[in-house]
């Protein structure tokens, strides 16, 4: 009798393992900022103030995490109407007037792009007006991967972090 009871209990356990019930409620969405993202500033011009010189300032919404990283690329031209050329900043351009530098800083709530040089950069307005930048947010949990990715190559970054840049968010 004991063997039959154990056999029935064993068969019952196996049978109950295969049962499925109704699907539970959906879980919460992931937190904002956990995915790599791309933003674009289109046709923006550097403003000037006596404290920071020429700069472009924007806030990030939603905020990124303190461990996240930001890469900023400047569009330097196009190959054709659908293929822009992106150049990682910071970057120094060597012009006949002197050196023009693009640089940036960021926090979890904002970023600033700077333009400066060793000459009066207002004399080269083509480098200060109607500029286009791509801002790539790299989550902190990818920090080990950044060592193996050529961050100067925009397309390599997009591929390495599985970023869909076909629908880039435009920042105003």
């Amino acid at each position: 009798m004991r063997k039959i009871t154990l056999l029935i209990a064993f068969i019952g356990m196996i049978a109950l393992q295969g049962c499925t019930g109704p699907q539970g409620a959906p879980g919460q969405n992931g937190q904002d900022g956990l995915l790599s993202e791309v933003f674009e500033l289109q046709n923006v011009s550097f403003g000037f103030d006596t404290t920071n010189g020429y700069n472009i300032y924007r806030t990030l919404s939603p905020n990124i995490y303190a461990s996240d990283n930001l890469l900023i690329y400047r569009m330097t031209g196009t190959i054709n109407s659908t293929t822009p050329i992106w150049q990682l900043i910071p970057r120094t351009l060597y012009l006949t007037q002197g050196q023009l530098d693009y640089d940036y800083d960021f926090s979890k709530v904002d970023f600033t792009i700077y333009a400066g040089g060793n000459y009066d950069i207002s004399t080269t307005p083509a480098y200060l007006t109607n500029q286009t930048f791509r801002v790539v947010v790299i989550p902190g949990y990818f920090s080990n991967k950044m060592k193996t990715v050529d961050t100067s190559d925009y397309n390599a970054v997009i591929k390495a972090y599985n970023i869909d840049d076909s629908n880039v968010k435009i920042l105003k």
Side-chain angles (χ1 to χ4, degrees), residues 8-69:
I8 291 172
F10 181 71
I11 292 171
M13 287 181 2
I14 291 174
L16 290 176
Q17 289 288 342
C19 294
T20 57
Q23 185 172 347
Q28 293 181 355
N29 291 333
Q31 294 179 346
D32 289 336
L34 288 181
L35 297 176
S36 300
E37 294 183 272
V38 179
F39 302 100
E40 187 167 294
L41 296 165
Q42 292 180 339
N43 301 316
V44 295
S45 297
F46 285 85
F48 181 82
D49 68 60
T50 55
T51 305
N52 295 311
Y54 288 94
N55 68 82
I56 297 168
Y57 172 83
R58 294 293 187 276
T59 57
L60 294 167
S61 180
N63 294 347
I64 62 174
Y65 291 103
S67 60
D68 290 349
N69 198 3

Side-chain angles (χ1 to χ4, degrees), residues 40-123:
E40 187 167 294
L41 296 165
Q42 292 180 339
N43 301 316
V44 295
S45 297
F46 285 85
F48 181 82
D49 68 60
T50 55
T51 305
N52 295 311
Y54 288 94
N55 68 82
I56 297 168
Y57 172 83
R58 294 293 187 276
T59 57
L60 294 167
S61 180
N63 294 347
I64 62 174
Y65 291 103
S67 60
D68 290 349
N69 198 3
L70 220 61
L71 299 174
I72 300 181
Y73 298 84
R74 178 179 163 264
M75 188 169 71
T76 60
T78 57
I79 293 173
N80 57 45
S81 63
T82 60
T83 311
I85 301 168
W86 297 107
Q87 188 175 65
L88 180 66
I89 60 174
R91 172 67 80 194
T92 299
L93 303 179
Y94 299 95
L95 309 173
T96 55
Q97 296 86 348
Q99 295 177 7
L100 173 66
D101 298 308
Y102 292 106
D103 203 354
Y104 71 97
D105 63 30
F106 71 95
S107 71
K108 66 181 188 171
V109 298
D110 62 9
F111 65 91
T112 305
I113 303 171
Y114 301 95
N118 63 2
Y119 70 99
D120 179 5
I121 64 173
S122 68
T123 61

